[in-house]
Amino acid sequence: MNDINSQEDLYKVVDNFYKKLLSDTSIRYIFTDVVKVKLEEHLPILVSFWSQSILGTGGYFNNLTQIHLDLNTKSYLSKELFDIWLFHFESAINENFIGINCERMKNQAHNLSTIMQIKIAKADEEKL
């Protein structure tokens, strides 16, 4: 297996990841009922995010934190959901690739999960 080195590699990971999420009944509702994600529009955005993050290409301009804070107001994003997300994300990487970029991507996903959970908890606390 090779490392993640291109946007095509990232697309493979992200596409596989979303197939896993959408087949998992414990998290699928977030993407089908709450957000109603359109994969043909969403996947290129995610590839852009990970390409900027892992390959240094630039091009991602959305506010990732705000997107998740907004989503949390529609449906609570629990630690369990983040754990499921991480499990499927790591699986999508590990099934197809191996190398330093893969490890960087998994580490960043864990960091993002932790940051999002802290920010969600803070936002929820401020509502009280």
mmCIF file of all heavy atoms in Angstrom, residues 10 17-19 33-34 54-55 69 75 87 94 99 101 106 108 112 116 119 123 128:
data_model
loop_
_atom_site.group_PDB
_atom_site.id
_atom_site.type_symbol
_atom_site.label_atom_id
_atom_site.label_comp_id
_atom_site.label_asym_id
_atom_site.label_seq_id
_atom_site.Cartn_x
_atom_site.Cartn_y
_atom_site.Cartn_z
ATOM 1 N N LEU A 10 -7.031 11.282 -1.649
ATOM 2 C CA LEU A 10 -7.924 11.847 -0.643
ATOM 3 C C LEU A 10 -9.385 11.585 -0.999
ATOM 4 O O LEU A 10 -10.201 11.270 -0.129
ATOM 5 C CB LEU A 10 -7.681 13.345 -0.478
ATOM 6 C CG LEU A 10 -6.347 13.712 0.165
ATOM 7 C CD1 LEU A 10 -6.079 15.199 0.011
ATOM 8 C CD2 LEU A 10 -6.330 13.299 1.632
ATOM 9 N N PHE A 17 -15.030 6.682 3.324
ATOM 10 C CA PHE A 17 -15.477 7.125 4.640
ATOM 11 C C PHE A 17 -16.984 7.382 4.647
ATOM 12 O O PHE A 17 -17.704 6.915 5.531
ATOM 13 C CB PHE A 17 -14.685 8.382 5.013
ATOM 14 C CG PHE A 17 -15.150 9.108 6.226
ATOM 15 C CD1 PHE A 17 -15.271 8.474 7.446
ATOM 16 C CD2 PHE A 17 -15.426 10.462 6.157
ATOM 17 C CE1 PHE A 17 -15.672 9.169 8.575
ATOM 18 C CE2 PHE A 17 -15.823 11.166 7.273
ATOM 19 C CZ PHE A 17 -15.957 10.515 8.486
ATOM 20 N N TYR A 18 -17.475 8.100 3.668
ATOM 21 C CA TYR A 18 -18.909 8.409 3.632
ATOM 22 C C TYR A 18 -19.749 7.173 3.337
ATOM 23 O O TYR A 18 -20.882 7.063 3.842
ATOM 24 C CB TYR A 18 -19.211 9.569 2.681
ATOM 25 C CG TYR A 18 -19.190 10.847 3.467
ATOM 26 C CD1 TYR A 18 -17.998 11.484 3.751
ATOM 27 C CD2 TYR A 18 -20.358 11.374 4.002
ATOM 28 C CE1 TYR A 18 -17.963 12.621 4.531
ATOM 29 C CE2 TYR A 18 -20.331 12.509 4.785
ATOM 30 C CZ TYR A 18 -19.128 13.133 5.053
ATOM 31 O OH TYR A 18 -19.089 14.238 5.843
ATOM 32 N N LYS A 19 -19.238 6.238 2.599
ATOM 33 C CA LYS A 19 -19.955 4.977 2.403
ATOM 34 C C LYS A 19 -20.123 4.269 3.750
ATOM 35 O O LYS A 19 -21.182 3.704 4.042
ATOM 36 C CB LYS A 19 -19.224 4.095 1.401
ATOM 37 C CG LYS A 19 -19.379 4.580 -0.027
ATOM 38 C CD LYS A 19 -18.588 3.746 -1.002
ATOM 39 C CE LYS A 19 -18.765 4.304 -2.409
ATOM 40 N NZ LYS A 19 -17.813 3.762 -3.353
ATOM 41 N N ASP A 33 -30.879 12.941 7.500
ATOM 42 C CA ASP A 33 -32.064 13.613 8.028
ATOM 43 C C ASP A 33 -31.780 15.027 8.534
ATOM 44 O O ASP A 33 -32.575 15.932 8.302
ATOM 45 C CB ASP A 33 -32.679 12.794 9.169
ATOM 46 C CG ASP A 33 -33.102 11.409 8.731
ATOM 47 O OD1 ASP A 33 -33.308 11.206 7.516
ATOM 48 O OD2 ASP A 33 -33.211 10.518 9.591
ATOM 49 N N VAL A 34 -30.667 15.197 9.217
ATOM 50 C CA VAL A 34 -30.361 16.498 9.824
ATOM 51 C C VAL A 34 -29.758 17.446 8.793
ATOM 52 O O VAL A 34 -30.248 18.556 8.587
ATOM 53 C CB VAL A 34 -29.422 16.343 11.049
ATOM 54 C CG1 VAL A 34 -29.107 17.701 11.650
ATOM 55 C CG2 VAL A 34 -30.049 15.417 12.088
ATOM 56 N N ILE A 54 -3.238 18.285 4.571
ATOM 57 C CA ILE A 54 -2.216 17.240 4.476
ATOM 58 C C ILE A 54 -1.211 17.500 3.358
ATOM 59 O O ILE A 54 -0.017 17.260 3.506
ATOM 60 C CB ILE A 54 -2.885 15.857 4.281
ATOM 61 C CG1 ILE A 54 -3.827 15.542 5.452
ATOM 62 C CG2 ILE A 54 -1.847 14.757 4.092
ATOM 63 C CD1 ILE A 54 -3.179 15.558 6.827
ATOM 64 N N LEU A 55 -1.690 18.019 2.231
ATOM 65 C CA LEU A 55 -0.808 18.216 1.075
ATOM 66 C C LEU A 55 -0.386 19.671 0.894
ATOM 67 O O LEU A 55 0.439 19.970 0.033
ATOM 68 C CB LEU A 55 -1.507 17.716 -0.206
ATOM 69 C CG LEU A 55 -1.980 16.264 -0.182
ATOM 70 C CD1 LEU A 55 -2.728 15.931 -1.464
ATOM 71 C CD2 LEU A 55 -0.820 15.305 0.064
ATOM 72 N N LEU A 69 -20.753 23.711 15.012
ATOM 73 C CA LEU A 69 -21.555 24.356 16.062
ATOM 74 C C LEU A 69 -22.997 24.540 15.588
ATOM 75 O O LEU A 69 -23.944 24.304 16.351
ATOM 76 C CB LEU A 69 -20.946 25.703 16.461
ATOM 77 C CG LEU A 69 -19.642 25.633 17.255
ATOM 78 C CD1 LEU A 69 -19.053 27.031 17.425
ATOM 79 C CD2 LEU A 69 -19.853 24.961 18.606
ATOM 80 N N SER A 75 -28.939 19.008 16.049
ATOM 81 C CA SER A 75 -28.887 17.661 16.603
ATOM 82 C C SER A 75 -27.585 17.527 17.387
ATOM 83 O O SER A 75 -26.505 17.715 16.826
ATOM 84 C CB SER A 75 -28.944 16.624 15.478
ATOM 85 O OG SER A 75 -28.943 15.324 16.004
ATOM 86 N N PHE A 87 -13.762 6.223 14.134
ATOM 87 C CA PHE A 87 -13.584 4.807 13.796
ATOM 88 C C PHE A 87 -13.699 4.604 12.283
ATOM 89 O O PHE A 87 -12.842 3.959 11.664
ATOM 90 C CB PHE A 87 -14.618 3.955 14.535
ATOM 91 C CG PHE A 87 -14.595 2.517 14.105
ATOM 92 C CD1 PHE A 87 -13.613 1.651 14.556
ATOM 93 C CD2 PHE A 87 -15.563 2.041 13.227
ATOM 94 C CE1 PHE A 87 -13.589 0.327 14.134
ATOM 95 C CE2 PHE A 87 -15.539 0.717 12.799
ATOM 96 C CZ PHE A 87 -14.550 -0.141 13.262
ATOM 97 N N ASN A 94 -6.979 3.265 6.737
ATOM 98 C CA ASN A 94 -6.185 2.048 6.941
ATOM 99 C C ASN A 94 -6.454 0.968 5.897
ATOM 100 O O ASN A 94 -5.565 0.166 5.608
ATOM 101 C CB ASN A 94 -6.431 1.480 8.336
ATOM 102 C CG ASN A 94 -5.885 2.378 9.418
ATOM 103 O OD1 ASN A 94 -4.994 3.188 9.193
ATOM 104 N ND2 ASN A 94 -6.444 2.253 10.614
ATOM 105 N N GLY A 99 1.321 5.191 5.671
ATOM 106 C CA GLY A 99 2.429 6.129 5.539
ATOM 107 C C GLY A 99 2.274 7.341 6.431
ATOM 108 O O GLY A 99 1.320 7.465 7.203
ATOM 109 N N ASN A 101 1.626 10.548 5.759
ATOM 110 C CA ASN A 101 0.454 11.399 5.543
ATOM 111 C C ASN A 101 -0.800 10.768 6.133
ATOM 112 O O ASN A 101 -1.670 11.475 6.647
ATOM 113 C CB ASN A 101 0.254 11.700 4.053
ATOM 114 C CG ASN A 101 1.246 12.727 3.550
ATOM 115 O OD1 ASN A 101 1.822 13.497 4.307
ATOM 116 N ND2 ASN A 101 1.451 12.748 2.242
ATOM 117 N N LYS A 106 -4.883 10.994 10.374
ATOM 118 C CA LYS A 106 -5.582 10.399 11.525
ATOM 119 C C LYS A 106 -5.363 11.238 12.782
ATOM 120 O O LYS A 106 -6.305 11.469 13.551
ATOM 121 C CB LYS A 106 -5.129 8.952 11.736
ATOM 122 C CG LYS A 106 -5.632 8.024 10.644
ATOM 123 C CD LYS A 106 -5.277 6.578 10.901
ATOM 124 C CE LYS A 106 -3.844 6.275 10.578
ATOM 125 N NZ LYS A 106 -3.507 4.837 10.661
ATOM 126 N N GLN A 108 -4.731 14.448 12.913
ATOM 127 C CA GLN A 108 -5.490 15.681 12.773
ATOM 128 C C GLN A 108 -6.979 15.433 13.014
ATOM 129 O O GLN A 108 -7.657 16.254 13.622
ATOM 130 C CB GLN A 108 -5.277 16.336 11.417
ATOM 131 C CG GLN A 108 -6.015 17.663 11.340
ATOM 132 C CD GLN A 108 -5.529 18.546 10.239
ATOM 133 O OE1 GLN A 108 -4.526 18.270 9.589
ATOM 134 N NE2 GLN A 108 -6.230 19.620 10.011
ATOM 135 N N LEU A 112 -9.140 17.406 15.665
ATOM 136 C CA LEU A 112 -10.370 18.117 15.297
ATOM 137 C C LEU A 112 -11.547 17.625 16.133
ATOM 138 O O LEU A 112 -12.374 18.433 16.578
ATOM 139 C CB LEU A 112 -10.679 17.926 13.813
ATOM 140 C CG LEU A 112 -9.779 18.666 12.843
ATOM 141 C CD1 LEU A 112 -10.033 18.195 11.420
ATOM 142 C CD2 LEU A 112 -9.985 20.160 12.959
ATOM 143 N N MET A 116 -13.606 20.126 18.483
ATOM 144 C CA MET A 116 -15.043 20.303 18.247
ATOM 145 C C MET A 116 -15.846 19.974 19.498
ATOM 146 O O MET A 116 -16.781 20.692 19.853
ATOM 147 C CB MET A 116 -15.529 19.429 17.090
ATOM 148 C CG MET A 116 -15.020 19.837 15.755
ATOM 149 S SD MET A 116 -15.508 21.518 15.332
ATOM 150 C CE MET A 116 -14.356 21.818 14.023
ATOM 151 N N LYS A 119 -15.463 22.841 21.967
ATOM 152 C CA LYS A 119 -16.203 24.032 21.541
ATOM 153 C C LYS A 119 -17.705 23.817 21.649
ATOM 154 O O LYS A 119 -18.437 24.745 22.014
ATOM 155 C CB LYS A 119 -15.793 24.440 20.130
ATOM 156 C CG LYS A 119 -14.367 24.972 20.115
ATOM 157 C CD LYS A 119 -13.989 25.567 18.796
ATOM 158 C CE LYS A 119 -12.557 26.065 18.902
ATOM 159 N NZ LYS A 119 -12.372 27.381 18.417
ATOM 160 N N ALA A 123 -20.146 26.039 23.988
ATOM 161 C CA ALA A 123 -21.316 26.707 23.427
ATOM 162 C C ALA A 123 -22.584 26.267 24.165
ATOM 163 O O ALA A 123 -23.453 27.094 24.461
ATOM 164 C CB ALA A 123 -21.442 26.404 21.940
ATOM 165 N N LEU A 128 -26.778 28.019 28.919
ATOM 166 C CA LEU A 128 -27.440 27.833 30.232
ATOM 167 C C LEU A 128 -27.555 29.104 31.012
ATOM 168 O O LEU A 128 -27.008 30.065 30.958
ATOM 169 C CB LEU A 128 -26.691 26.797 31.055
ATOM 170 C CG LEU A 128 -26.617 25.412 30.421
ATOM 171 C CD1 LEU A 128 -25.784 24.478 31.288
ATOM 172 C CD2 LEU A 128 -28.022 24.833 30.251
#
